[in-house]
Amino acid sequence: MNKIKNIAVLTSGGDAPGMNAAIRAVVRAGIYYDLNVSGVLRGYEGLINGDFIPMDRKSVANIIQRGGTILKTARSDDFRTKEGRQKAYDQLILHNIDAMVVIGGDGTFTGANLFTSEFDFPVIGLPGTIDNDLAGTDFTIGYDTAINTVVNAIDKIRDTAESHDRLFIVEVMGRDSGLIALRSGIGVGAEAIMIPEANMGVEGLIKRLEYGRKDKSSKIIIVAEGDEVGGAFNVGEVLKENFPNYDIRVSVLGHIQRGGKPSCMDRVLASRFGVAAVEGLLEGRSGGMVGQINKEILFTPFDHAIKHIDAEEVSPVWLKLVEILSL
């Protein structure tokens, strides 16, 4: 415990609402345990370039409600190379940093996993991604805010869909994971939800619409951007061919899902994770992600948390729920 006196914190990859709350928690927990805390600007790229700034109570005042990340974020091609990671390690040693907290998703943790194995440097990760696609936690920072943003947007789309008797195809984020589409689709009462994990396909969608309620004038179809059909516009073209009488519109929600003030759930989750990360480092933990399962804080090794290695598939229970509720 006495070996760690100086820690650094960074945000990397795609931004997620609640990252600022996590930064705040790391800084304040560090101060509570009499540590010096430095922020790294622009993720791993800033780490390589030595962009460190000292952080104190004032640095994180009035940020818990802000979206985005005050430390900025970037993707770093250099950190993917051993030479780049060596430069990052040299900067940590130069700035007398003893341990690091990284906030991000699977790409961030992939880099952190390589870094810790190469240099035996203490690193703990916080799951900051709107996709909720990391194993080892029920929810990631930003997911709750993102799905509520989607629900609010689609509720408004539903209003105009009903006014004009239209079928709207709404594309949401989720290149490799359909969890945003799945949960928000259930929340808005979508007629169909297309996600990479389910492989409904065009035939399944057509069948769903053919056997759905005929007296319902408006319809909402949610499509994750990574669905096998290739996104909302491709789905729209197929439906126009098969249902020429439908008045079809396409809406891509895009990056509004990343922005906005974090929900209370994301603020609390990020705060809890941030404190747990600092305490974990002081207890000698490294090479893993802080998560919450059944309300308990757990640590999961990076190589198990990363979705491409050990991600949980969508439960059939959820898919059956979608089928039942779309009748």
Side-chain angles (χ1 to χ4, degrees):
M1 185 173 290
N2 294 328
K3 292 182 179 179
I4 293 180
K5 293 296 183 183
N6 306 297
I7 65 173
V9 58
L10 62 80
T11 51
S12 174
D15 59 309
M19 280 185 164
N20 282 326
I23 295 167
R24 173 180 178 269
V26 170
V27 172
R28 296 203 169 180
I31 294 170
Y32 179 86
Y33 287 107
D34 198 27
L35 305 177
N36 299 310
V37 185
S38 297
V40 183
L41 300 177
R42 293 177 295 279
Y44 289 138
E45 194 68 14
L47 188 61
I48 291 171
N49 295 327
D51 294 332
F52 291 76
I53 57 171
M55 302 194 77
D56 54 20
R57 291 179 179 85
K58 187 176 181 181
S59 303
V60 294
N62 201 33
I63 68 167
I64 193 171
Q65 79 281 9
R66 291 171 57 184
T69 162
I70 63 168
L71 292 178
K72 308 298 183 182
T73 182
R75 303 186 189 277
S76 176
D77 290 331
D78 287 341
F79 198 78
R80 298 177 189 270
T81 68
K82 190 167 185 178
E83 294 75 16
R85 293 190 293 273
Q86 180 67 58
K87 291 178 183 178
Y89 177 75
D90 293 342
Q91 289 290 349
L92 288 167
I93 299 304
L94 179 65
H95 288 83
N96 297 314
I97 303 298
D98 303 311
M100 185 166 57
V101 177
V102 299
I103 308 169
D106 64 296
T108 300
F109 293 167
T110 298
N113 193 39
L114 285 170
F115 186 79
T116 55
S117 64
E118 289 171 350
F119 301 102
D120 193 26
F121 190 87
V123 180
I124 284 183
L126 302 188
T129 167
I130 66 171
D131 291 323
N132 202 43
D133 57 354
L134 296 167
T137 187
D138 290 333
F139 297 102
T140 58
I141 299 166
Y143 177 61
D144 184 68
T145 305
I147 59 176
N148 278 289
T149 296
V150 171
V151 166
N152 289 334
I154 296 178
D155 282 348
K156 295 173 182 178
I157 289 173
R158 177 77 80 175
D159 290 342
T160 188
E162 290 184 348
S163 298
H164 295 274
D165 293 340
R166 284 175 176 161
L167 184 154
F168 266 86
I169 304 163
V170 183
E171 182 177 302
V172 301
M173 285 184 166
R175 184 176 63 250
D176 301 307
S177 170
L179 295 179
I180 292 176
L182 180 65
R183 193 171 287 256
S184 62
I186 293 172
V188 301
E191 278 64 44
I193 303 170
M194 304 184 71
I195 59 177
E197 299 89 341
N199 295 322
M200 175 187 287
V202 173
E203 295 79 8
L205 177 59
I206 292 173
K207 183 178 179 181
R208 180 70 58 84
L209 292 175
E210 285 177 340
Y211 291 95
R213 283 176 53 191
K214 300 293 189 287
D215 61 336
K216 193 170 184 179
S217 58
S218 69
K219 298 181 187 296
I220 300 290
I221 296 170
I222 310 296
V223 181
E225 61 180 318
D227 181 78
E228 63 173 356
V229 179
F233 284 102
N234 287 348
V235 173
E237 290 302 316
V238 171
L239 292 187
K240 285 177 183 177
E241 293 177 4
N242 287 272
F243 299 97
N245 295 329
Y246 279 172
D247 187 2
I248 296 173
R249 296 290 186 274
V250 174
S251 180
V252 178
L253 296 187
H255 285 78
I256 67 165
Q257 295 161 85
R258 290 197 184 279
K261 294 183 177 181
S263 66
C264 181
M265 177 177 169
D266 276 329
R267 298 182 199 192
V268 174
L269 192 70
S271 299
R272 195 177 184 198
F273 284 175
V275 173
V278 173
E279 292 178 341
L281 288 171
L282 292 175
E283 292 166 0
R285 295 182 182 274
S286 179
M289 177 196 81
V290 178
Q292 177 181 279
I293 297 179
N294 295 330
K295 300 182 181 179
E296 295 295 325
I297 291 293
L298 299 172
F299 289 83
T300 300
F302 285 136
D303 57 354
H304 290 295
I306 299 166
K307 67 181 179 202
H308 298 298
I309 296 175
D310 192 24
E312 296 181 11
E313 294 187 1
V314 172
S315 169
V317 174
W318 285 100
L319 300 178
K320 184 177 180 181
L321 182 64
V322 172
E323 183 178 357
I324 292 171
L325 296 178
S326 63
L327 294 175

